[in-house]
Amino acid sequence: MSSQMSAIELLKLGDQGRKKPFLNQYWPQIIGTTIGVSAAVFINYQTRRPPFSGIQKHILLGGGMSAVLMYVTKKREEYFAEKDAVFRHYIELHPEDFPTSERKKIGDILEPWVPVR
Amino acid sequence: MATIIRTAFIKVLTPGQGVKIAGCTFVQNRNISGKSLRESLPPRPPKPAPFDYINKDYTWLRSLFDRTTHRFDENTKVIVVEGPVAAGKTKFASSLAEDLGMKHFPEANMDLHYIRPNGCDLRMFDDQLPEDTRTFDHVNFNKCPTHRLAGNFQIMMYTARYSQYIDALAHLLNTGQGVVLERSPYSDFVFLEAMYKCGYISKGVRSVYYELRANTIEELMRPHLVIYLDLPVDKVQQSIKARNCPHEVGGKALTPDFLKELEKQYKTKYLKDISTHAELLVYDWTGGGDVEVVVEDIERLNFEQYTEREEPKMKDWRLPREPDWADQRMMFSNNKFFLMNLFSIPRLDVPELITSADDAFAREQLIYSHPAFEYTEGYTKGESGLLLKNKMPKYEEYI
């Protein structure tokens, strides 16, 4: 479980049973509702109406904004999933292009330091 | 045969509504008819129901199905009753409207500005406001015609008449019912001239007034018929005394000079100008008169005889195509705000028309902090169903 893993192993790792934190999971709904409802309140303020009159407007705007953000998030996740799948498939088809690299110590990588004055 | 081919040709070539030519059918001519004449004739074929223009917009989509001219008949006319002060216009106009089956609009006054849609009268703030921002209506004008706000009062009177005339035209185009008005934006300048002659207002106010008038008046459709109730100046003074309104009898505005200039402007300018477009009936109304006689005279007028394109008579009412009627109707029913915005010409060279920023701010603060004015019309605190209410008033004048 670290740098010694090969590319294909990393790609097949998955989420290892971890749960998304609350904010990561529900940010489209939270932000969407906030923006939508505040937009409706702002419209009411500008047209000199009480903040929450025409509550259907608040519901529609809040729901609409959440739906838009949820759609965007879904599309984003689909995009990354597809990218990983393409990589995985390619590596499976061409394993010879992805040899497991040999483990090296840092000390082996660095050249000896020779002070020159 | 040639006609059929031509018709087909035009129908193919002109897209959309272009083919519909309003008034292309040959209809037997019928003049305006009074109550007794209407009752003696066989009933008319039913008209489409009046369109609810007060609550709804007349949109382009609706204009494809709801034709404006289908509601028109011979009584779909704009009649304006003119005359000097206290000539008996209101009584005459309302009985005329009743006889012709038209809608009567009582004369526009400052209540149109001051009594707000929420029912509150702006005059109630007067005792707390800076002097320049107080209300100034015809009562105040009669008491003190040389007041700083007299010029502003006259311009606001023009605005009120203009606004009322738009409403009258919207009513006519949406219901097909004729309208009877008392005085109009077209004749309002006679008061301005009389006030100028008597020194109540300055030259600057006069120039602003005519600038505003020139910018706005062309948008309206001039009346079909103007009825002038003529009364000599001494009789006008008598009837003012007989009417016995305290502000008129005890006031300083309605001097013989003022009334004379009023009459002169009416007769030499207004009647001369408007008679190029409208039919004109002038009556000597000394000692009153009979509405039925006037109705008989109106019944004899032939409004349909002017058909040439460039003929100035009735020109505003000879729109060639149905979409033109729809355009006018949309303008007056939906876009009143556009017409009223034509008044926003900033003229800073006339000091008596300018309120100082501090005074205006004080006024705004005071009015908007009143609970009845906190929110817009129909959203006052304590009304029921506010949570689900979302409708905005169609047109609302700024305070």
Side-chain angles (χ1 to χ4, degrees):
Chain A
M1 154 86 202
S2 58
S3 56
Q4 78 268 33
M5 292 176 89
S6 65
I8 190 76
E9 281 166 344
L10 276 171
L11 282 168
K12 286 187 171 172
L13 212 53
D15 59 6
Q16 296 181 306
R18 281 178 301 186
K19 265 186 79 182
K20 266 188 179 177
F22 179 81
L23 280 182
N24 289 31
Q25 199 179 352
Y26 293 109
W27 74 266
Q29 286 89 333
I30 294 166
I31 305 256
T33 312
T34 314
I35 292 178
V37 172
S38 7
V41 170
F42 184 69
I43 289 172
N44 277 4
Y45 172 70
Q46 289 283 293
T47 50
R48 300 191 56 239
R49 287 180 278 180
F52 285 96
S53 73
I55 200 82
Q56 63 273 40
K57 185 168 62 227
H58 300 65
I59 295 168
L60 281 176
L61 277 169
M65 279 307 290
S66 311
V68 167
L69 288 184
M70 277 155 77
Y71 179 77
V72 169
T73 317
K74 190 168 151 262
K75 280 285 153 193
R76 179 176 175 274
E77 276 165 8
E78 278 171 12
Y79 169 80
F80 287 126
E82 190 185 343
K83 201 170 93 175
D84 286 356
V86 167
F87 287 168
R88 247 188 334 262
H89 190 219
Y90 186 85
I91 295 170
E92 276 166 5
L93 290 181
H94 308 276
E96 69 281 2
D97 290 348
F98 301 90
T100 322
S101 55
E102 189 190 330
R103 284 195 78 189
K104 276 184 187 167
K105 289 181 175 173
I106 295 291
D108 301 335
I109 300 167
L110 295 175
E111 288 177 5
W113 182 59
V114 183
V116 178
R117 306 228 170 202
Chain B
M1 190 61 199
T3 321
I4 297 169
I5 292 168
R6 195 160 56 226
T7 314
F9 190 61
I10 290 170
K11 277 207 169 179
V12 171
L13 280 189
T14 22
Q17 303 179 36
V19 293
K20 299 271 182 185
I21 297 177
C24 70
T25 45
F26 289 94
V27 186
Q28 261 191 326
N29 182 36
R30 241 175 93 166
N31 298 337
I32 293 189
S33 52
K35 203 183 211 172
S36 49
L37 180 60
R38 276 203 309 280
E39 277 162 7
S40 69
L41 292 169
R44 304 284 315 238
K47 286 203 271 186
F51 175 66
D52 179 19
Y53 67 99
I54 292 166
N55 296 313
K56 290 183 198 161
D57 269 352
Y58 180 65
T59 56
W60 177 81
L61 199 64
R62 204 184 284 275
S63 79
L64 300 180
F65 305 101
D66 182 352
R67 302 296 191 171
T68 304
T69 48
H70 290 190
R71 291 203 184 81
F72 283 10
D73 59 20
E74 68 282 353
N75 279 21
T76 309
K77 298 278 186 285
V78 179
I79 299 181
V80 174
V81 179
E82 300 279 356
V85 186
K89 291 183 297 300
T90 307
K91 192 166 152 270
F92 171 73
S94 69
S95 42
L96 184 71
E98 204 261 318
D99 197 301
L100 298 177
M102 295 182 172
K103 185 174 161 75
H104 171 228
F105 285 78
E107 182 170 6
N109 53 28
M110 294 299 271
D111 288 356
L112 244 75
H113 298 296
Y114 291 153
I115 297 187
R116 304 297 306 173
N118 61 12
C120 291
D121 191 338
L122 289 183
R123 292 179 188 97
M124 70 187 181
F125 296 110
D126 274 354
D127 48 348
Q128 307 162 56
L129 281 174
E131 203 184 345
D132 285 353
T133 58
R134 282 179 202 156
T135 60
F136 191 84
D137 58 8
H138 61 283
V139 178
N140 301 98
F141 171 70
N142 276 292
K143 279 181 193 152
C144 180
T146 47
H147 194 277
R148 180 183 191 261
L149 293 174
N152 188 47
F153 161 73
Q154 183 50 31
I155 290 173
M156 280 178 85
M157 276 305 295
Y158 174 71
T159 319
R161 289 190 212 280
Y162 192 81
S163 162
Q164 190 195 43
Y165 203 85
I166 293 171
D167 293 344
L169 288 174
H171 180 82
L172 180 136
L173 294 171
N174 283 296
T175 62
Q177 193 191 12
V179 289
V180 180
L181 291 127
E182 291 166 47
R183 298 215 176 101
S184 63
Y186 295 100
S187 67
D188 187 61
F189 76 93
V190 299
F191 286 96
L192 177 96
E193 289 295 344
M195 284 159 82
Y196 179 64
K197 179 83 186 300
C198 297
Y200 300 162
I201 55 171
S202 70
K203 204 173 175 182
V205 172
R206 186 163 169 257
S207 103
V208 171
Y209 180 92
Y210 279 118
E211 189 175 348
L212 293 175
R213 186 179 194 268
N215 202 39
T216 49
I217 199 98
E218 298 280 317
E219 304 292 329
L220 302 178
M221 298 164 92
R222 281 169 287 177
H224 290 93
L225 170 65
V226 173
I227 301 174
Y228 184 71
L229 307 181
D230 191 20
L231 223 62
V233 173
D234 52 331
K235 296 280 175 203
V236 173
Q237 281 175 304
Q238 278 176 25
S239 51
I240 289 173
K241 280 208 189 81
R243 183 153 82 172
N244 203 20
C245 288
H247 60 272
E248 281 176 359
V249 178
K252 297 174 209 151
L254 304 176
T255 58
D257 270 352
F258 184 88
L259 297 171
K260 246 177 235 157
E261 183 65 17
L262 208 63
E263 188 183 19
K264 188 182 143 211
Q265 293 292 335
Y266 251 134
K267 287 183 177 165
T268 56
K269 280 205 186 140
Y270 173 67
L271 295 183
K272 197 163 153 248
D273 282 353
I274 202 75
S275 61
T276 58
H277 179 272
E279 296 286 357
L280 179 62
L281 292 175
V282 181
Y283 292 94
D284 182 6
W285 215 249
T286 318
D290 194 4
V291 176
E292 275 155 35
V293 178
V294 180
V295 170
E296 271 172 34
D297 287 342
I298 295 173
E299 278 171 359
R300 278 191 215 108
L301 294 172
N302 182 2
F303 291 93
E304 313 294 328
Q305 60 180 313
Y306 312 104
T307 49
E308 289 294 324
R309 182 204 281 255
E310 292 307 323
E311 167 73 49
K313 281 254 183 189
M314 307 297 145
K315 193 171 182 191
D316 293 356
W317 298 92
R318 273 200 312 279
L319 302 181
R321 286 168 214 289
E322 197 59 53
D324 298 338
W325 285 105
D327 283 351
Q328 290 295 75
R329 185 169 157 196
M330 280 178 218
M331 174 73 100
F332 297 124
S333 329
N334 315 341
N335 299 340
K336 187 176 176 184
F337 67 91
F338 169 78
L339 296 171
M340 299 312 285
N341 272 355
L342 295 176
F343 284 96
S344 47
I345 301 177
R347 278 280 298 260
L348 308 175
D349 54 330
V350 188
E352 61 262 43
L353 295 182
I354 292 174
T355 313
S356 80
D358 290 340
D359 287 355
F361 182 68
R363 174 178 188 266
E364 199 168 284
Q365 288 290 303
L366 182 75
I367 294 177
Y368 282 126
S369 63
H370 189 277
F373 289 92
E374 191 181 357
Y375 296 119
T376 194
E377 175 200 345
Y379 287 87
T380 316
K381 256 188 196 134
E383 278 191 53
S384 60
L386 278 188
L387 195 63
L388 289 171
K389 188 172 181 180
N390 201 34
K391 194 169 165 282
M392 288 290 292
K394 247 183 110 174
Y395 171 77
E396 194 180 20
E397 194 180 318
Y398 290 113
I399 285 177

